[in-house]
């Protein structure tokens, strides 16, 4: 999504998952001259996009890009020289400074090293971790694994997650989480 400083959307462009040729998209970005690009690309598409953005001579100093599914692992795959000063937003980064995260990262790295594939944690990994703990807390509160009882017990649960405190909303079972913006 391309936006101007007043917040209006100048254009939206969607590509299939795994898309790798962003030449046309980058031409449209240059023509629109937006103040910000709101990037929702996933996976390897980000690698191609940021490398091609740099090849087109566009840096973070020229154009603010805010990506919503890039963390440490994705940044490493893209390359620091391509990600320098671009903004990223997610709920969790491996570098979150909480005692819970310190323990989580150490345990995760010990496990992945043992498996021969040490890698950084990520927002999806931490979300899965939270989900298991919240389910276990709901089962304990309900006193059963019966689905409807567990669903009812989820309401209002709070958990000291690696990212910080999370709370389950009663009305929709969504989780309140801290939003983080990184550079």
């Amino acid at each position: 999504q391309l936006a101007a400083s007043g917040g209006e959307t100048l254009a939206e462009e969607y590509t299939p998952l795994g898309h790798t040729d962003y030449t046309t998209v980058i031409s449209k970005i240059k023509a629109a001259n937006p103040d910000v690009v709101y990037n929702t690309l996933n996976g390897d598409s980000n690698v191609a996009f940021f490398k091609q953005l740099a090849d087109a001579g566009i840096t973070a100093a020229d154009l603010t890009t805010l990506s919503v599914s890039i963390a440490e692992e994705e940044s490493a795959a893209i390359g620091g020289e391509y990600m320098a000063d671009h903004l990223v937003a997610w709920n969790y980064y491996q570098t979150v400074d909480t005692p819970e995260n310190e323990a989580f990262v150490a345990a995760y790295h010990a496990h992945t090293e043992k498996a021969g594939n040490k890698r950084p944690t990520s927002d999806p990994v931490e979300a899965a971790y939270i989900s298991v703990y919240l389910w276990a807390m709901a089962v304990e509160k309900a006193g059963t694994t019966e689905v409807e009882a567990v669903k009812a017990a989820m309401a209002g649960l709070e958990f000291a997650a690696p990212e910080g405190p999370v709370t389950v909303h009663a009305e929709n079972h969504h989780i309140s989480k801290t939003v983080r913006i990184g550079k």
Side-chain angles (χ1 to χ4, degrees):
Q1 184 174 26
L2 309 178
S5 59
E8 74 268 14
T9 298
L10 299 176
E12 288 186 41
E13 187 79 26
Y14 297 95
T15 59
L17 190 60
H19 189 75
T20 58
D21 183 1
Y22 287 95
T23 309
T24 303
V25 172
I26 291 169
S27 292
K28 289 178 182 180
I29 289 171
K30 284 181 157 183
N33 194 28
D35 294 314
V36 66
V37 171
Y38 183 77
N39 173 20
T40 61
L41 295 173
N42 287 291
D44 289 343
S45 294
N46 277 306
V47 176
F49 175 72
F50 279 99
K51 287 182 178 181
Q52 291 169 34
L53 199 64
D55 288 346
I58 300 172
T59 68
D62 304 314
L63 176 64
T64 300
T65 301
L66 175 63
S67 301
V68 292
S69 61
I70 294 177
E72 290 90 351
E73 187 168 19
E74 294 81 12
S75 290
I78 295 166
E81 68 274 21
Y82 299 105
M83 287 302 300
D85 296 324
H86 285 286
L87 301 176
V88 293
W90 227 340
N91 301 109
Y92 172 81
Y93 296 103
Q94 180 172 282
T95 54
V96 171
D97 188 15
T98 67
E100 293 83 7
N101 191 49
E102 186 177 320
F104 173 66
V105 170
Y108 182 79
H109 284 166
H111 175 74
T112 58
E113 273 184 298
K114 194 181 297 183
N117 186 18
K118 184 177 178 184
R119 53 192 308 169
T121 59
S122 65
D123 188 273
V125 168
E126 195 251 3
Y129 175 85
I130 291 170
S131 297
V132 170
Y133 274 90
L134 288 173
W135 178 83
M137 291 168 67
V139 166
E140 186 174 315
K141 181 178 171 185
T144 180
T145 58
E146 196 278 318
V147 173
E148 291 306 315
V150 173
K151 283 171 55 177
M154 288 293 265
L157 288 180
E158 295 180 1
F159 178 63
E163 69 185 63
V166 298
T167 305
V168 180
H169 291 273
E171 61 278 358
N172 59 16
H173 291 156
H174 289 192
I175 300 173
S176 288
K177 302 174 101 184
T178 302
V179 174
R180 291 184 165 76
I181 297 177
K183 187 185 267 189

